[in-house]
Amino acid sequence: MEDVGRPAFGTLLRQLRLQAGLSQEALAERARMSVVTVGALERGARRAPYRDTVALLAEALALGPEERARLESAARPQRPKRAPLDSPAAGGAAPDEPTQPNNLPLQLTNFVGREVEVSELGALLATSRLVTIVGSGGIGKTRTALQIAAGALADGAAGGSLEGVWLVELAPLADGALVAGAIASALGIAERSDRPVLETLLPYLRRRRVLLVLDNCEHLLADCARFAESLLRAAPEVRILATSREPLDIPEELVLGLAPFAVPDVCGLSVPDALRVPAIQLFVDRARAVTSFELDDANVAAVLDLCRRVDGIALGIELAAARLKVLSLEQLRAELGRGLLARKSDGDARQETLWALIDWSFELLSEQQRRLFARIGIFAGSFSLEAATAVCADEGDDETVLDGLEALIDKSLLVVETRRDDRRTFRFFESLRSYARDRLAGNGELEVLEGRLREYYLAVAAAAQAVRSEPDWLDALRPLEYASDDLRAILESTLGARRHVAAGAGLAADLLDYWKRQHLALEGRSWLERALDCEDETFSGPLRARVRLALIELQSMGDAQARFILVVEAVAALGETPDQSLASQASYHLGHVYGLLGNDTAANEHLEAAERQAEGCANVLALAAICNTRGIIALKGADVVTAIRFFTRCEQLTQRLNRGHQRIFPLGNLAEAARAQGRFQEAIALAKGALAIAERNAHDEATAWLLNNLGDYYLVAGDDDVAACFARDGLVKALEAQDEWRIIQCAETSARIAYQRGGAEIAAQLLGYADEHLAALNVPRQPLEGQLMSELARCLRSALGREPLQRLLAQGALLAPEAILALTNARHSKALRKASLAS
C-alpha cells in the first residue's frame, strides 16, 4: 500500500532536474556520472538505483530535506502493476506518436475492422509474456500485430512503460540458426565474434522491458519456440508477440486465432448496419483510397456479396477494392467470379481462395506488369527502386520499372514503406512473394534473376569497400541498409551451396563496414569462416588475403593468437602483390597483434612499414588506425609526448574521413596520456567527451572501456565514491556486451577500488578472477596495469597474509562474470551501511 501515489523515480528525477534548470549533460557533470546513466534513470531503465547514486544526484540538484526524502522514497523498488492495454481508437485511428525506441514501419493505410481482436490481444499481452496470433495467409496477422505494437508503444504494457518495441521479420530467413541474429540486428545489438549470438542477446535483454514482434514464424517453428523459451526464462521483463500459421506450442504461450472477417448472410442490410461490418469497413476504406467510392443503398448488397465471395480474407478484400480504380463495382464482381471459378479447390479452402484471388489479380495485369511482378519475387525482403531497376529491368527499361511499381502499388500487389529517414522501399506480402517466385521459376528466369541480384550486390559492396577511406563512405553503404535478407540469400546460395564461392567470399569480405555498422560482427565472421572452408582454385591470392583481413577486424581484442595466424596467412597469400592497400592492412594487423602480445619492437617495425604503404596509396583510414596503435605502443613505453602526437593526428584523420564516431579511441587514449602525466582533471574531461560520442553511437565496448577508465581516474584523484559509480557502470556495460577483455579490465579497477574502501577480501577475489581470465586469453597486461596489479597484490598479502590471499584468489578464479557485479554491489552496499551508521 505504501507505493500508492508514489511517483516513478525517473519521472521525479526529470521534474527536479527541470526545476533546477539543468540539462541531462549538466546534471551528469555535477553528479560526476555519465549522461547515459542519467538518461537511463529518467527513462525508467533503472527503476531502483543504488543509494549512492541517489545521494550524488540529490547533492548535484541541491535538494532540501523534504525533496531529498521524496527522491529516496521513489528510488525504493516498486511492485509492478499489471493492466490491460487500451484498445486503439475506433475507426483505426493511429495511437499517439510513440517516444520509445522502435523500428516499426510507418503505416500508410488505416487500420480497419479488427478493433475487437486488438483489444483482446492487448489484454492477453498484459497477462502473458508470449502471445501468438495464428491464422492462414492473407488474414491480416502482420497488420494486426503492428497495430498492437504501436499501441503498446503509446500506452505501455503490463502496467509500465516499455523501453522499446522491435519488429523482427522472419519470412525471408531460410535457416533457423539465423533467428537470434535477426533479433540482435533489429535491436541494434553488436554481436560478439567469440561466442554464439544468443549468449550476447540474452544478457542484453535480461534487465530490459521490451516487446519483440516475431513476424511469420511458421517455417521456423522449432527454432522460434526454442528461442522464445530461452528468452522467457532469462529475461523476465521481455514480452513476445508472434505471428504464425501454427502455434509455437510451448507452455507459456497464449494463442489467439485470427479468422477471416465474418460476412453476414442477410438481404436488405442498411447502409448504417453495413458500415458496422468489419469486412465492409475495410472494403470501403480501401476503395476510397483509389476512387471516390461511397457506400449507398444501391451498392451495399453488391459489396456484401463481393466480400462473401473472397471468404472475408483481408488481402482478398484489399486486392478487389484496388481494382475499382479501373472497373465498376459490377465489372469487378463479374471479373472476380470468373477468376475464382478458374481454380478448383482441392486443399485448404481459404488458401485456395487466396491463391485464386492472386491468380485473378495477376491475369488482369498487362504483360509488362506481369513480367515485373514475377521478377520482383527474386527479392527476399525489402528493396529499393535502384535495386529493382538494376535487377529487374531489361536494357532501356528503367522508366518502365518505375511505372510498373506504381501500377502494382495501385493494385495493392506491392507495399510501399516510408522509412524514418523519409526514404522509400518496397516489399511483397509473403504470400504474394511466394506466388511471384513460382511464376519466375515457371517462366525459366529464376536462375538468370538470381545472377542479376548477385551481381548487383557484389557491385554495391565493392563500391562501398573502394571508398572506405573517403568522406562519403556512409553514402556508399546506404544501398545495403535494408538489404540484409537479400545479402543472406546470396551468401547462402554461394558459400552455403558451394556455388560461385569466390563471388560469395568477395561479397562477405567487402561487407566489412556493413557487418560493423549493422552490429552483425558474429554473422559476418561466420560467413567469412565459411569462405575459408570453401577456398578452391578460383580464389586469387588477394581474395584469400581480403577474407582473412576482414575476419581479423571482426574478432575480439582477446583473440591475439588467432589474429596472428590469420595475418601470417594473409601476408603469405599476398606474396608480391602490387596492391599497396592490402599490403598496408596486412602490415598494420601484424604490427597490432605483436603489440597485443607484448613485442613492441616487432610491432613498431611492421607499423612503420604499414604507414609507408598507406601513405603511398593515400589510405587515410589505414593511417588513422596506424597512428592510434603507434600511440598506444609509445604510451606503453612511457614516451607520452610521442603518444600524444600520434593520438592527435589520429583524431584529425577520423574527422577528415567523416568518421567522427571513431574519435572515441584517440580521445580516450589522449585521456590515458593525460592520466600518465598526472593531469587527472584533463583526463576526466577528455574521457567524458569520448564517452558522450560512444553513448550517442551505441558503442557498448567503448562505453565500457571509458566508464571503467573514469573509475580509475576518480580513484587516483581521491574520489572513491564517484570512482565506484563509474567502475560499476563500466562493468554493467561490459557484461551486457559480453566483452571478456573489458570485463577483466573492469574487475581490475573494481579490485583497486574495493581495497581502497576497506574491502581487501573482495579485492582479492576480483584480482583472482582477472588473473585467471587474462591468462586464458594468453595476452600480457599492459605495463601500467601490470604495475597497478602487482602493487595491489603486495598490499593484499600484507593485509590478509599469504595463505588467505591464495585461497581468495582461487575462489575468484572460479567466479562467473555475473558474480563480479554481485561482489562490487555487495561491497558497495556494505560501505553505505557503515556510512549510515556512522552518521
Side-chain angles (χ1 to χ4, degrees):
M1 294 296 295
E2 67 180 2
D3 290 340
V4 175
R6 205 171 96 189
F9 180 84
T11 302
L12 180 58
L13 176 61
R14 183 172 183 273
Q15 290 171 355
L16 294 171
R17 175 175 63 78
L18 294 175
Q19 287 172 15
L22 298 175
S23 66
Q24 286 187 349
E25 289 79 4
L27 177 58
E29 182 68 26
R30 288 191 180 189
R32 296 168 292 175
M33 59 183 62
S34 69
V35 178
V36 73
T37 300
V38 174
L41 288 168
E42 290 194 356
R43 290 195 309 275
R46 301 183 186 181
R47 294 186 294 282
Y50 299 102
R51 287 176 58 190
D52 70 324
T53 300
V54 179
L56 288 169
L57 290 167
E59 180 184 345
L61 291 165
L63 299 182
E66 185 176 339
E67 286 182 326
R68 187 185 187 108
R70 286 181 66 208
L71 190 66
E72 290 173 348
S73 175
R76 289 198 300 270
Q78 301 186 45
R79 182 178 302 171
K81 305 174 184 66
R82 296 184 181 275
L85 291 172
D86 293 334
S87 61
D96 294 338
E97 183 67 20
T99 57
Q100 295 92 333
N102 71 93
N103 68 340
L104 302 180
L106 299 175
Q107 299 301 313
L108 302 183
T109 58
N110 294 325
F111 181 76
V112 178
R114 294 286 189 190
E115 288 78 15
V116 173
E117 289 90 340
V118 165
S119 180
E120 185 177 351
L121 280 162
L124 289 176
L125 198 59
T127 58
S128 175
R129 296 178 53 222
L130 170 60
V131 177
T132 303
I133 305 174
V134 173
S136 56
I139 290 294
K141 301 185 295 296
T142 298
R143 188 68 172 86
T144 301
L146 290 176
Q147 188 70 9
I148 291 288
L153 270 176
D155 302 331
S161 62
L162 291 164
E163 296 175 42
V165 175
W166 305 100
L167 170 66
V168 185
E169 297 175 339
L170 300 177
L173 300 185
D175 184 354
L178 297 175
V179 169
I183 294 167
S185 177
L187 288 163
I189 299 173
E191 297 181 10
R192 299 287 302 148
S193 61
D194 55 355
R195 68 192 72 239
V197 66
L198 197 61
E199 292 183 14
T200 300
L201 187 58
L202 294 183
Y204 177 87
L205 290 172
R206 185 169 292 130
R207 302 176 186 89
R208 284 174 166 78
R209 191 180 185 86
V210 299
L211 173 65
L212 297 179
V213 183
L214 306 184
D215 191 32
N216 289 304
C217 299
E218 54 272 351
H219 61 306
L220 304 170
L221 273 180
D223 296 283
C224 289
R226 279 194 294 271
F227 170 80
E229 284 193 293
S230 298
L231 182 58
L232 294 176
R233 284 196 302 269
E237 299 288 352
V238 171
R239 277 170 160 68
I240 300 173
L241 179 61
T243 74
S244 179
R245 297 189 186 185
E246 302 176 53
L248 300 186
D249 197 25
I250 61 177
E252 298 87 346
E253 182 182 32
L254 286 182
V255 178
L256 179 71
L258 206 62
F261 289 118
V263 183
D265 190 11
V266 296
C267 299
L269 198 65
S270 68
V271 171
D273 287 341
L275 286 172
R276 284 191 283 271
V277 175
I280 294 179
Q281 290 175 6
L282 180 62
F283 181 89
V284 171
D285 182 83
R286 299 305 190 255
R288 285 174 177 170
V290 296
T291 187
S292 57
F293 179 84
E294 291 296 334
L295 192 71
D296 56 33
D297 291 334
N299 62 26
V300 64
V303 172
L304 191 64
D305 175 64
L306 190 148
C307 291
R308 191 181 300 116
R309 289 191 185 197
V310 299
D311 291 343
I313 297 172
L315 180 56
I317 292 172
E318 296 198 32
L319 292 175
R323 277 288 161 189
L324 287 181
K325 188 173 183 178
V326 293
L327 299 174
S328 70
L329 185 58
E330 287 306 317
Q331 288 174 319
L332 176 60
R333 289 175 67 203
E335 290 287 346
L336 181 61
R338 283 193 289 272
L340 291 177
L341 290 172
R343 191 179 182 101
K344 299 294 184 182
S345 176
D346 56 2
D348 183 294
R350 288 171 186 160
Q351 288 305 111
E352 286 294 328
T353 298
L354 178 61
W355 211 252
L357 285 166
I358 300 173
D359 263 343
W360 166 73
S361 297
F362 181 80
E363 294 303 328
L364 292 174
L365 298 175
S366 70
E367 185 177 346
Q368 282 185 326
Q369 290 167 357
R370 288 180 204 168
R371 183 166 60 249
L372 180 62
F373 177 89
R375 288 179 175 182
I376 289 172
I378 199 63
F379 292 105
S382 298
F383 59 92
S384 65
L385 172 62
E386 293 76 13
T389 301
V391 175
C392 300
D394 292 324
E395 191 172 350
D397 279 353
D398 292 7
E399 292 184 8
T400 304
V401 170
L402 177 57
D403 293 341
L405 292 176
E406 289 178 341
L408 295 177
I409 292 165
D410 286 343
K411 295 170 177 60
S412 293
L413 292 169
L414 194 64
V415 177
V416 60
E417 302 168 314
T418 300
R419 300 291 179 173
R420 298 195 179 275
D421 58 4
D422 206 37
R423 279 184 287 167
R424 302 295 193 272
T425 55
F426 311 91
R427 67 175 175 85
F428 271 139
F429 289 115
E430 181 55 24
S431 49
L432 291 172
R433 189 183 78 85
S434 178
Y435 179 94
R437 197 171 180 88
D438 284 351
R439 284 281 182 173
L440 191 63
N443 64 27
E445 285 195 313
L446 181 60
E447 189 172 346
V448 172
L449 267 292
E450 283 180 342
R452 288 189 186 181
L453 185 74
R454 182 173 63 249
E455 293 304 317
Y456 171 71
Y457 280 115
L458 280 169
V460 171
Q465 180 70 10
V467 296
R468 287 191 79 207
S469 192
E470 302 294 334
D472 59 351
W473 68 281
L474 267 176
D475 292 334
L477 281 178
R478 294 198 192 284
L480 300 170
E481 190 168 341
Y482 303 113
S484 58
D485 298 321
D486 286 311
L487 295 174
R488 288 181 179 123
I490 294 166
L491 290 168
E492 186 59 49
S493 69
T494 53
L495 300 177
R498 292 184 177 268
R499 298 172 61 247
H500 310 289
V501 288
L507 177 62
D510 285 343
L511 289 175
L512 177 59
D513 275 337
Y514 168 84
W515 299 128
K516 290 181 177 181
R517 190 161 179 80
Q518 296 297 318
H519 306 291
L520 293 171
L522 183 60
E523 183 176 345
R525 176 175 175 173
S526 174
W527 288 117
L528 289 164
E529 287 171 344
R530 290 174 80 171
L532 292 180
D533 291 339
C534 292
E535 277 188 342
D536 60 21
E537 67 281 356
T538 65
F539 280 54
S540 65
L543 176 58
R544 293 173 191 268
R546 283 168 52 208
V547 170
R548 286 163 173 80
L549 294 173
L551 186 53
I552 289 169
E553 291 205 33
L554 295 180
Q555 288 180 315
S556 71
M557 289 285 289
D559 290 337
Q561 295 297 333
R563 283 171 172 238
F564 184 77
I565 293 169
L566 284 169
V567 73
V568 168
E569 290 177 351
V571 170
L574 282 172
E576 300 299 323
T577 177
D579 191 327
Q580 289 300 294
S581 180
L582 280 177
S584 173
Q585 291 176 51
S587 297
Y588 162 72
H589 284 298
L590 200 51
H592 188 229
V593 76
Y594 271 123
L596 288 175
L597 295 172
N599 189 340
D600 292 350
T601 301
N604 276 320
E605 289 177 2
H606 290 289
L607 288 170
E608 288 170 6
E611 188 171 5
R612 290 192 299 271
Q613 292 160 333
E615 286 174 342
C617 59
N619 190 334
V620 182
L621 180 61
L623 282 172
I626 293 163
C627 285
N628 191 56
T629 303
R630 293 197 70 183
I632 291 170
I633 292 172
L635 190 60
K636 282 199 300 178
D639 188 352
V640 182
V641 174
T642 299
I644 290 173
R645 176 168 56 83
F646 278 123
F647 294 145
T648 301
R649 187 184 181 203
C650 175
E651 186 198 3
Q652 293 168 346
L653 291 173
T654 56
Q655 291 191 74
R656 173 178 156 191
L657 284 171
N658 191 26
R659 288 180 180 259
H661 63 287
Q662 291 187 343
R663 291 177 64 217
I664 298 167
F665 302 103
L667 281 175
N669 286 325
L670 282 168
E672 290 283 80
R675 188 241 193 256
Q677 293 181 328
R679 295 179 283 112
F680 301 120
Q681 294 307 314
E682 183 180 343
I684 288 169
L686 284 165
K688 285 186 175 180
L691 179 62
I693 300 171
E695 291 171 345
R696 283 199 303 271
N697 288 275
H699 199 311
D700 288 346
E701 294 176 9
T703 299
W705 170 55
L706 291 161
L707 286 168
N708 184 63
N709 283 358
L710 281 163
D712 169 65
Y713 303 159
Y714 276 108
L715 176 64
V716 293
D719 198 335
D720 299 351
D721 289 339
V722 177
C725 289
F726 274 106
R728 189 183 55 244
D729 282 350
L731 181 55
V732 168
K733 186 60 70 174
L735 286 166
E736 288 177 352
Q738 292 289 286
D739 186 338
E740 191 168 8
W741 180 275
R742 302 301 176 201
I743 292 170
I744 292 168
Q745 292 181 320
C746 291
E748 292 177 342
T749 303
S750 295
R752 292 167 52 223
I753 293 170
Y755 175 76
Q756 186 70 23
R757 302 173 83 189
E761 292 184 353
I762 289 176
Q765 291 179 71
L766 291 169
L767 179 58
Y769 175 91
D771 285 346
E772 176 70 18
H773 288 76
L774 192 64
L777 291 179
N778 199 25
V779 177
R781 281 193 173 100
Q782 301 299 323
L784 177 59
E785 283 76 9
Q787 293 169 17
L788 291 171
M789 291 304 102
S790 295
E791 176 64 18
L792 176 62
R794 186 189 65 77
C795 292
L796 289 172
R797 276 194 300 273
S798 176
L800 298 170
R802 186 175 299 276
E803 289 186 8
L805 174 59
Q806 291 303 317
R807 184 176 65 254
L808 289 165
L809 289 171
Q811 289 175 5
L814 298 175
L815 290 174
E818 289 75 12
I820 302 299
L821 183 61
L823 270 181
T824 60
N825 289 345
R827 171 64 199 136
H828 190 63
S829 300
K830 186 176 180 182
L832 286 171
R833 285 196 296 273
K834 285 185 177 179
S836 299
L837 289 171
S839 63

